[in-house]
Amino acid sequence: MNITPEEQKPCPELPPNLGPYRVETNVSFVMSVRQNEDMEFGGRSKPDTCTALQKIAIVIPFRNREPHLEVWLYNMHPFLKKQRADYGIYVVEQNGDAKFNRAKLMNVGFAEAIKDYDYNCFIFTDVDIIPMDQRNLYRCFKNPRHMANSLDKFNFKLRYKTVFGGVVAFSKEQFQKVNGFSNVFWGWGGEDDELYQRVIAMGMSIERPTQEIAKAKAFVHGRDTGNERNVKTIPLIRKAKERMKRDGLNSLDYKVISITKHRLYTKITVDIGLPEGHLF
Ligand code: UD2
Ligand code: MN
C-alpha cells in the first residue's frame, strides 16, 4: 500500500469533536461486522489520514460472555475510530472450566499482542464496561491510568481511593516495570488491588479522568460459575512488593490453543493451567 504524504503527518494530540457517547445495547455481531467492513482482520484499525501517536493493544479477559462481547465490540470500534486510534483488539479466552484467572489472561494478552505489532500502549478492560464519553481517551499517559472510576452501576462514584479495577491503561514500559499482573489470583477479586500495590511499589502513581469524563456503562450481572470469590487475596496483596519480582510477566507460563483473526477481534484461546494445589 502506498503511503500518501497525508498519512505521514502525526495525528493531533486531541482528536476533534469528542463528546458524550450514547451506548447502544440492542445490537448483534452481524450489525458490527457490517459497520466495520473497512477493518483489517483481527480487529485492527488505524487512522487513514494521519499517523497515530500510540499503538494500542486492547486486552479483554474472557470466558463465556458472548452477549457482553457483542455489545462491547459494537460500541467500541466506532468509539476508538473516533479517537483516531491505531489499535487491535485481543480477546483472551481461558480454556476449560477451572477457576477463572483474569490477571493471568491479561498477561497472556500482553505477551501475545507484542508478537503481532509494535504496540506501545495496553488497555486492559473488562468485557462489560463501555465508556459514555469520547473524551475518555483510551490511551496511555505519564502514569498508569485507571478509567473505570465513574460507573453507572455505582452512581458514577469512586468506590474507594485506590480502586484500580475495570479498565486500566499502561504503556509498555509501565507494564514491564511492574512485571505485569500477578499470575496467582484464581477466582474473583483482589488482582486489581494487587496491581495497584505494584504500581506504588515501583514509585509510580495512578491517574484518572475526571468523574464526568470517565462516566461509563457497566453491566449488572451475577457472579460467573468458575469465578467464585477468592478468599486468599489479603496476604497476597500485602506481599505484592516482594512477590512482584518473581510473579508476573517473567514467570508467565501458558499454552496457546488457538489464535483466530475474526473481523472484529483476535481471539486467543489459552490453557493457563490450574491453581496450585488444585485437586482433580
Ligand atoms: C470487578 C472489577 C474487575 C475485576 C473483578 C474481580 C471493576 C469495575 N471491575 O468486576 O476489573 O477486578 O471485580 O476479579 O472494578 N470474565 C469472563 N468470564 C467469566 C468471569 C469473568 O469473561 O466467567 C471477565 C470479563 O471480562 C469480566 C471480567 O472478567 O468483565 C471481570 O469479572 P466480573 O465482571 O465478574 O467482575 P466484576 O464486575 O465484579
Ligand atoms: Mn463485571
Side-chain angles (χ1 to χ4, degrees):
M1 200 166 67
N2 291 328
I3 295 172
T4 64
E6 241 188 348
E7 277 179 321
Q8 290 167 328
K9 267 193 313 191
C11 296
E13 189 80 43
L14 199 66
N17 308 321
L18 302 181
Y21 173 78
R22 203 171 66 88
V23 177
E24 200 59 69
T25 53
N26 191 13
V27 303
S28 68
F29 280 121
V30 178
M31 285 164 72
S32 301
V33 170
R34 236 182 256 140
Q35 289 179 18
N36 290 287
E37 274 168 358
D38 56 324
M39 298 205 64
E40 274 176 55
F41 273 88
R44 298 274 296 273
S45 173
K46 59 181 172 191
D48 50 12
T49 57
C50 55
T51 304
L53 302 171
Q54 299 186 3
K55 296 175 178 170
I56 306 166
I58 302 197
V59 180
I60 307 176
F62 185 82
R63 186 167 68 187
N64 201 17
R65 288 280 197 106
E66 274 74 15
H68 287 164
L69 183 61
E70 204 163 17
V71 177
W72 193 94
L73 291 166
Y74 181 87
N75 288 282
M76 292 310 287
H77 280 301
F79 181 94
L80 294 162
K81 287 176 184 171
K82 179 85 181 171
Q83 292 190 350
R84 303 230 211 153
D86 177 356
Y87 70 97
I89 309 289
Y90 295 85
V91 174
V92 189
E93 177 182 54
Q94 180 172 336
N95 192 54
D97 49 17
K99 277 264 174 73
F100 194 70
N101 188 331
R102 174 180 180 271
K104 190 167 180 181
L105 294 170
M106 297 300 201
N107 286 343
V108 171
F110 174 87
E112 290 298 315
I114 54 178
K115 295 181 187 167
D116 234 15
Y117 190 49
D118 189 15
Y119 291 112
N120 52 21
C121 173
F122 297 80
I123 313 277
F124 300 99
T125 177
D126 286 359
V127 73
D128 53 13
I129 299 177
I130 300 166
M132 291 164 54
D133 197 309
Q134 298 157 336
R135 291 170 297 175
N136 185 355
L137 294 174
Y138 270 44
R139 288 196 188 161
C140 290
F141 291 81
K142 246 180 54 218
N143 302 296
R145 188 168 170 99
H146 178 234
M147 295 143 84
N149 46 309
S150 188
L151 303 180
D152 59 348
K153 74 173 179 184
F154 300 124
N155 296 319
F156 304 109
K157 295 268 190 313
L158 185 68
R159 277 182 305 147
Y160 52 100
K161 238 178 102 184
T162 62
V163 64
F164 202 49
V167 187
V168 293
F170 281 76
S171 71
K172 188 176 179 187
E173 290 71 33
Q174 289 161 356
F175 198 61
Q176 285 173 330
K177 204 165 168 186
V178 298
N179 196 17
F181 279 86
S182 165
N183 296 311
V184 303
F185 282 72
W186 300 88
W188 184 92
E191 82 298 336
D192 48 347
D193 297 317
E194 206 265 5
L195 183 65
Y196 176 81
Q197 292 305 325
R198 290 178 178 230
V199 169
I200 300 308
M202 289 314 293
M204 297 185 282
S205 52
I206 65 160
E207 54 180 72
R208 300 190 175 100
T210 64
Q211 292 305 111
E212 183 59 30
I213 285 178
K215 279 187 174 173
K217 179 153 201 61
F219 294 107
V220 176
H221 57 76
R223 188 73 42 83
D224 299 279
T225 309
N227 197 26
E228 292 72 27
R229 189 195 177 93
N230 181 356
V231 294
K232 294 184 272 190
T233 62
I234 290 169
L236 288 175
I237 296 167
R238 208 171 283 145
K239 292 253 165 81
K241 185 173 181 174
E242 152 186 347
R243 218 188 38 264
M244 68 186 278
K245 300 183 197 95
R246 56 188 161 81
D247 166 24
L249 293 174
N250 68 357
S251 64
L252 181 61
D253 174 32
Y254 62 94
K255 282 191 203 72
V256 170
I257 292 176
S258 63
I259 299 182
T260 315
K261 304 251 172 196
H262 296 276
R263 172 72 76 182
L264 303 174
Y265 59 99
T266 298
K267 179 146 200 204
I268 303 172
T269 302
V270 64
D271 177 356
I272 56 168
L274 298 168
E276 211 175 296
H278 178 90
L279 299 175
F280 288 92

